[in-house]
Amino acid sequence: MTTCPRKTWSSKKRSHSDLLGVSVIPTVPPFAELTAPSHWRTVDFISDLHLQASEPATVSAWQHYLQTTPADAIFLLGDIFEVWVGDDALQDPASFEAQVCARLRAAAQRSPLYFMHGNRDFLAGNAFLQHCGITGVPDPLVLSYAGERYLLTHGDLLCIDDVEYQRFRMHARSSAWQQQFLSQPLAIRRAQARGIRQESEARKQSGAVYADVDHPTAIAWLRAAGAHTLIHGHTHKPGQHTLAPGLQRVVLSDWDAAALPLRQETLRLSAQGLERVPLGPM
């Protein structure tokens, strides 16, 4: 699980500007907007598949979903890949990345796919989007559908209690950091990614408590966006939460086809509203 470890402070809570020496978390970020075409009857939202070659059951379940979903559009809200170390991984047609992108490209020929970065696949760039034939969208994004406004985000920006992670996020999203990382040979980048995954797994096994979305911040985002529903992933805690009268957040499920109970579902939006659709075993 790749979420934000919660920090406990001995004194009263200080501002994030005080803790970091610089403000890295905008209270209300700018919102891009996308209006759904009138012919979209259903829209699917999925996130946190963490696709990797070592988990073939999840990969197969996801491939089956792409082939069978009736959705007129699919929003991939981050962490579709367990890790993405650079678009040049696509140059090898036998690579796992190239095989997954071939599936995305086939799905995109049937219905539009929209991709939002997560904290594991934020290095996916324009070459990835073009190779797959999908559309990148910024985080956060307001989707206007059937007269309602839905605020979409991966979710990590709202885990503001994890100051250490937010500091890393600020640096890792900078062009200087990315240029330095991507200038390394692909093999070295893959090795570094394996080390990071091992550290993350060790943290999870240690029983670390993970931060959740900060509700006051989520409310501020929703009100500024003129939306009533926030849809996000990242926390691996699927559920629905009332934030304030008329305001809610809906959390997407992560995917693990080898887990018991099975963890794989889509959140489907139609004119009747939002519905969780469990995907059965293959």
Side-chain angles (χ1 to χ4, degrees):
M1 180 165 61
T2 55
T3 51
C4 310
R6 181 177 299 278
K7 302 296 181 182
T8 303
W9 305 101
S10 58
S11 58
K12 68 178 182 178
K13 189 173 183 179
R14 296 169 289 171
S15 73
H16 291 84
S17 297
D18 293 338
L19 293 168
L20 298 178
V22 61
S23 178
V24 299
I25 307 168
T27 303
V28 179
F31 301 110
E33 298 200 15
L34 174 65
T35 299
S38 58
H39 69 271
W40 284 9
R41 295 162 300 169
T42 57
V43 180
D44 279 1
F45 306 97
I46 59 175
S47 71
D48 299 279
L49 281 75
H50 293 269
L51 297 176
Q52 52 193 305
S54 61
E55 296 188 1
T58 300
V59 176
S60 294
W62 170 74
Q63 291 175 350
H64 180 72
Y65 158 76
L66 288 181
Q67 294 167 352
T68 58
T69 178
D72 296 297
I74 303 172
F75 284 79
L76 311 169
L77 298 185
D79 284 1
I80 304 306
F81 296 90
E82 170 66 2
V83 67
W84 189 268
V85 295
D87 292 357
D88 53 341
L90 296 171
Q91 295 174 7
D92 177 3
S95 70
F96 175 75
E97 293 88 349
Q99 294 172 24
V100 169
C101 283
R103 299 292 184 178
L104 286 169
R105 185 166 59 249
Q109 293 173 354
R110 295 189 292 271
S111 58
L113 271 62
Y114 297 87
F115 174 83
M116 179 181 289
H117 288 123
N119 55 294
R120 288 300 187 102
D121 48 20
F122 65 89
L123 285 172
N126 289 332
F128 159 76
L129 297 174
Q130 294 170 7
H131 187 89
C132 298
I134 63 180
T135 301
V137 294
D139 183 359
L141 173 74
V142 175
L143 173 66
S144 295
Y145 174 88
E148 294 290 334
R149 292 165 64 83
Y150 298 87
L151 181 57
L152 313 180
T153 181
H154 176 59
D156 58 330
L157 262 177
L158 290 166
C159 290
I160 64 173
D161 282 345
D162 186 355
V163 176
E164 181 181 351
Y165 168 74
Q166 296 298 340
R167 181 188 292 114
F168 168 76
R169 190 185 193 281
M170 178 186 68
H171 291 305
R173 300 303 175 97
S174 70
S175 58
W177 187 96
Q178 294 188 10
Q179 289 173 8
Q180 187 278 328
F181 180 80
L182 293 173
S183 67
Q184 301 176 98
L186 180 58
I188 292 179
R189 282 178 269 146
R190 289 193 188 281
Q192 292 177 348
R194 285 193 296 270
I196 292 172
R197 291 200 302 272
Q198 290 169 358
E199 291 178 3
S200 176
E201 183 63 23
R203 186 184 306 119
K204 181 175 67 174
Q205 296 300 326
S206 72
V209 179
Y210 291 88
D212 210 338
V213 163
D214 181 77
H215 280 191
T217 304
I219 291 170
W221 281 30
L222 283 167
R223 288 176 173 163
H228 296 99
T229 300
L230 172 71
I231 298 174
H232 71 87
H234 182 66
T235 62
H236 298 197
K237 298 176 181 178
Q240 184 169 333
H241 307 271
T242 299
L243 299 174
L247 300 180
Q248 65 173 343
R249 70 179 179 97
V250 181
V251 190
L252 303 175
S253 175
D254 57 309
W255 282 41
D256 186 348
L260 292 175
L262 194 68
R263 296 177 67 87
Q264 54 186 45
E265 67 176 30
T266 183
L267 182 68
R268 183 160 295 159
L269 174 63
S270 68
Q272 287 70 49
L274 290 167
E275 176 190 11
R276 291 188 183 277
V277 181
L279 305 175
M282 296 290 296

